[in-house]
Amino acid sequence: FGCRMEEMFLRMCVVLVSLLCLDDYTVIEKLDDDITMGMQERKHFLQEGAKLEQRETPQTGQVQTKSMQHPGSENAYTWYLWKALSLISLIRILWKFFGRGLKTSGTIFPTIDNKKFPKLFLPDHDVLSCFYEQHVQIPPNIGRRACEFVEGFVNELLEVMRRTSDKETDMQIEDFVGVGSLYELWATGKRMVCDLYVPFTAPRSYGFNFEFWKDKNVASLVAGCGKIKVMKNENTFTGCPCSSGNLDDDTLCLLHPHFEMKSTIVDAIGGPLCRENTPYLSKAQVVRWFRTAVSKAWGEISHKYEFELTFRNQAAPGALKVRFRSGKAILFNIVPVVQVKGSKVNLLSYLSSNQSSLSDIDWPISFAGCENALLQKLEKTLPYNSCHIRCLQILSFLHKQQISLTGKCGLTSYHLKTTLLYLLLVKKPIAWKCDQLAERLIDMLTFLEQGLHARKLNHALIGNPLVPNGIGLPEEFQLAKPTNLLLPLASNTESYVKTIQHLQELVRNAPVLIHEYTPPDNHKCHHNLPAISYNQ
């Protein structure tokens, strides 16, 4: 070792900084191999040096002790270097397991290593438009007819449920609200599903109170959840001893000729559809109540219709399927929900598979009404015949095609919709002109790549200062901390790796798939794309 102490420590600092700053973990693995090899060489050097000292000096122990006490000697340099390399190796191990989590606190647009994802090359605007016209878009009249049929049938079904309910003991059903891709005009594929929310309220003399999770880690797992506490009015007589009931019924109280009642609101422990021995509304009991009510209502009106009605999912209370004699089927969901304080935010009773970790009294929060209102509000500022909905439809179509090839992954259509909402909020309206379809589609894929690389994709509405007012979002959600939709995915290594591979394959296959679906003669496509409007 012919270098000075300062040079040695400088080199060690460079190695340490490299270990802490590198994003490419393959480089860290190679660097670790180099360090290990260097340590083995130094160990061999020490062994040879010890043998040489034993030949020259019989008092080996004294020489070694002296060399340790003098940092200017070569053995001291080696000893310091050995300890430093051991510390660096320990830091590398800790960084490998904990350091990546630090990157999840990045900005909305985190940095990404382009080597991890293939470059994206999309066809020009004409080819994309032809592909969209022939294979992606659903003619508006088809989706509208399906929604009109479902709405008419569900409206009659709910009327029967209201007529047969008891206002004193049963939950009260309100008018349905249309949500989802069909109502937001970005549905794709031949299998259309109409989604309707059915709000319900507490029986007479009862009410709902809401408790939202304050633990951000728990809330992030399901993009927010809350509890619904059932409250009841309790009347008590106050003031006069005659209200105690100790006097005879025919005794007239001259001091207190009129009754005075005090109404207090208390927890309804064991109340309607509550979890046993608690005042909290139970999702399981709501599911059973709603399914039973739907079955009874259908039994009363089934003679009027010439089709079969069946439940599609045991966990979902209103996942229904109508099958006509011709074999044609229509799928729709009527989901019982609780509306939060008159806003467009709802708590869902639907027990989906990705919420299996929630308890029976934890209700997932749905912002579908607010998101639809946001799209309508932003659509007023966009150019005529803008491409934002087509971007979401094309990406959703490619996502479904990739799922058919490689199976399901952690990426959902809600992640795609969140990506669109974010870009609509940060980009100027002029960027969404019709001829910018390819550019905006690349932006969406790049945004998804960035989010997956950083393991972070915040909810588009919760704690986002860019969200405008007037979309029915309560203040507590506007002021809340952002919620990471990818947190459950980031904590599952197997699902995370599969999702990364899914998006990589989607990016690689997108140009091939588009050209394969698009005929060689592009003139067959008229490019007269219908204008997207939410005013229905």
Side-chain angles (χ1 to χ4, degrees), residues 178-180 183-184 186 344-345 367-382 386 388-389 392 414 416-427 429 432 458-473 478 532-535:
V179 296
Y183 286 91
E184 294 169 353
W186 58 273
K344 294 185 178 180
V345 177
F367 297 89
C370 297
E371 291 163 354
N372 192 13
L374 176 61
L375 283 172
Q376 294 183 38
K377 191 177 186 69
L378 295 176
E379 193 262 348
K380 297 178 181 179
T381 66
L382 297 177
S386 60
H388 64 295
I389 294 296
L392 183 56
Y414 192 72
L416 308 184
K417 179 182 174 183
T418 300
T419 299
L420 176 66
L421 292 176
Y422 258 120
L423 293 180
L424 284 172
L425 290 170
V426 300
K427 285 191 171 293
W432 298 96
N458 284 342
H459 193 278
L461 303 184
I462 300 177
N464 188 353
L466 300 177
V467 176
N469 296 324
I471 63 171
L473 185 66
Q478 299 178 24
I532 304 296
S533 176
Y534 293 97
N535 299 323

Side-chain angles (χ1 to χ4, degrees), residues 218-266:
V218 177
S220 297
L221 293 177
V222 288
C225 59
K227 294 179 180 178
I228 304 173
K229 181 182 286 188
V230 181
M231 314 296 291
K232 67 177 180 179
N233 291 325
E234 200 171 70
N235 297 324
T236 56
F237 296 101
T238 60
C240 185
C242 71
S243 63
S244 62
N246 296 327
L247 302 178
D248 296 334
D249 293 337
D250 57 351
T251 302
L252 179 63
C253 179
L254 299 178
L255 298 177
H256 183 226
H258 303 288
F259 290 107
E260 290 185 3
M261 290 190 301
K262 182 180 180 181
S263 179
T264 57
I265 299 177
V266 297

Side-chain angles (χ1 to χ4, degrees), residues 51-188:
K51 293 179 181 179
L52 183 60
E53 289 181 358
Q54 288 178 359
R55 295 175 186 173
E56 295 179 352
T57 306
Q59 300 177 347
T60 308
Q62 297 178 0
V63 174
Q64 290 179 349
T65 304
K66 185 177 180 181
S67 64
M68 290 296 181
Q69 294 174 351
H70 292 79
S73 64
E74 293 181 356
N75 286 339
Y77 295 155
T78 306
W79 184 81
Y80 288 138
L81 184 58
W82 182 276
K83 293 297 183 182
L85 289 174
S86 300
L87 178 61
I88 292 173
S89 298
L90 177 61
I91 293 174
R92 181 204 167 275
I93 293 173
L94 295 176
W95 177 258
K96 181 177 181 180
F97 288 99
F98 302 106
R100 296 184 188 183
L102 299 176
K103 295 188 178 184
T104 59
S105 60
T107 58
I108 293 179
F109 292 97
T111 59
I112 183 170
D113 185 359
N114 293 326
K115 295 180 181 179
K116 291 183 178 293
F117 290 91
K119 291 184 178 180
L120 178 62
F121 299 98
L122 288 180
D124 58 20
H125 174 72
D126 291 339
V127 176
L128 273 178
S129 299
C130 186
F131 168 71
Y132 172 81
E133 288 181 18
Q134 295 195 348
H135 304 287
V136 177
Q137 73 169 339
I138 296 177
N141 58 333
I142 295 178
R144 190 177 301 112
R145 286 200 301 266
C147 289
E148 288 175 354
F149 166 79
V150 171
E151 290 173 359
F153 173 67
V154 170
N155 189 46
E156 185 172 2
L157 202 64
L158 296 182
E159 281 296 330
V160 177
M161 295 169 65
R162 293 190 191 100
R163 189 173 64 247
T164 57
S165 66
D166 187 344
K167 293 184 178 181
E168 299 295 332
T169 59
D170 296 333
M171 298 292 175
Q172 300 302 300
I173 297 174
E174 300 185 350
D175 294 334
F176 61 81
V177 178
V179 296
S181 58
L182 267 180
Y183 286 91
E184 294 169 353
L185 303 177
W186 58 273
T188 60

Side-chain angles (χ1 to χ4, degrees), residues 395-461:
L395 188 54
S396 178
F397 181 88
L398 296 175
H399 174 56
K400 292 178 181 178
Q401 293 299 316
Q402 190 59 46
I403 288 178
S404 65
L405 295 175
T406 57
K408 291 185 178 180
C409 64
L411 194 65
T412 66
S413 59
Y414 192 72
H415 295 133
L416 308 184
K417 179 182 174 183
T418 300
T419 299
L420 176 66
L421 292 176
Y422 258 120
L423 293 180
L424 284 172
L425 290 170
V426 300
K427 285 191 171 293
K428 295 181 179 180
I430 195 66
W432 298 96
K433 292 176 60 178
C434 181
D435 57 359
Q436 299 294 310
L437 178 62
E439 288 80 1
R440 299 293 79 78
L441 191 56
I442 292 176
D443 287 343
M444 291 185 67
L445 285 168
T446 303
F447 187 89
L448 281 173
E449 292 175 356
Q450 292 174 336
L452 283 175
H453 180 71
R455 305 190 184 205
K456 184 174 184 179
L457 177 62
N458 284 342
H459 193 278
L461 303 184

